[in-house]
Amino acid sequence: MGVCIIIITTQQHIIFNSSLTEMAKSRFPSPTLLLLLLVFVLVAAAAGRKVGGRMQVRNVKENKQVQELGRYCVTEYNNRHIHKANGSIGEKLLVFSQVVEAETQVVSGIKYYLKISAATLGGGGPHEIFEAVVVVKPWLHKKDLVDFAPSTNTANLDG
């Protein structure tokens, strides 16, 4: 009878060890996955930027895509402003002038942080700087204006 108990205990021990091994395999990523992750991080570090960090857009004033996004932001702002005013023309519709500064960030799409120069429609006053955030998902042919507000920091942006 003692032998049977030892055999059962040994079998239970083997089953227990085997289930621990399976748990360890399922909880830890494969070496291949870890290697790919390491390569991705090293490539991003070699490029001199943080993964998911903001990147300055160069030559903003000549960048047609960024300028069109700025124009889209002002148009969308105006449409939302009119909608809030129940279809009447609000007192502060804007006329797009240009994007003066831009940054991008890779998210689930590309998030653009834009500083836009615009003037009040029919106001004849000076241009103001507005900050806009727009997310572009090219594979869906979609762009969404997330935020649009007067800039709190307009130093050295007039152009």
Side-chain angles (χ1 to χ4, degrees):
M1 189 162 203
V3 173
C4 283
I5 292 174
I6 292 172
I7 293 173
I8 291 172
T9 304
T10 306
Q11 287 177 347
Q12 287 175 347
H13 182 68
I14 292 169
I15 291 170
F16 181 72
N17 278 342
S18 132
S19 64
L20 278 179
T21 305
E22 291 302 315
M23 280 179 27
K25 286 180 184 175
S26 66
R27 287 194 180 180
F28 299 111
S30 71
T32 305
L33 182 59
L34 288 174
L35 181 63
L36 286 174
L37 181 61
L38 178 63
V39 168
F40 177 72
V41 170
L42 290 175
V43 168
R49 59 184 176 196
K50 291 189 284 185
V51 177
R54 290 188 190 186
M55 295 295 300
Q56 191 75 29
V57 177
R58 297 179 188 194
N59 301 321
V60 172
K61 293 179 182 178
E62 291 82 33
N63 188 320
K64 290 182 182 181
Q65 179 184 9
V66 169
Q67 294 301 320
E68 284 304 314
L69 279 175
R71 188 177 310 281
Y72 163 79
C73 290
V74 170
T75 301
E76 187 66 19
Y77 165 82
N78 286 340
N79 289 339
R80 290 178 185 182
H81 197 70
I82 290 170
H83 181 71
K84 283 182 184 176
N86 293 322
S88 67
I89 296 177
E91 75 263 358
K92 192 162 180 178
L93 295 182
L94 300 175
V95 177
F96 174 78
S97 175
Q98 66 181 342
V99 176
V100 294
E101 189 177 296
E103 294 178 319
T104 61
Q105 180 181 25
V106 176
V107 291
S108 61
I110 301 174
K111 186 181 270 190
Y112 288 85
Y113 298 86
L114 306 176
K115 293 204 182 215
I116 300 169
S117 175
T120 304
L121 180 66
H127 288 165
E128 296 177 52
I129 302 296
F130 296 86
E131 294 182 13
V133 178
V134 61
V135 176
V136 178
K137 296 182 180 181
W139 65 94
L140 295 176
H141 304 289
K142 184 178 178 183
K143 52 189 163 193
D144 290 313
L145 181 62
V146 176
D147 191 31
F148 191 95
S151 179
T152 56
N153 182 8
T154 59
N156 299 322
L157 292 178
D158 295 323

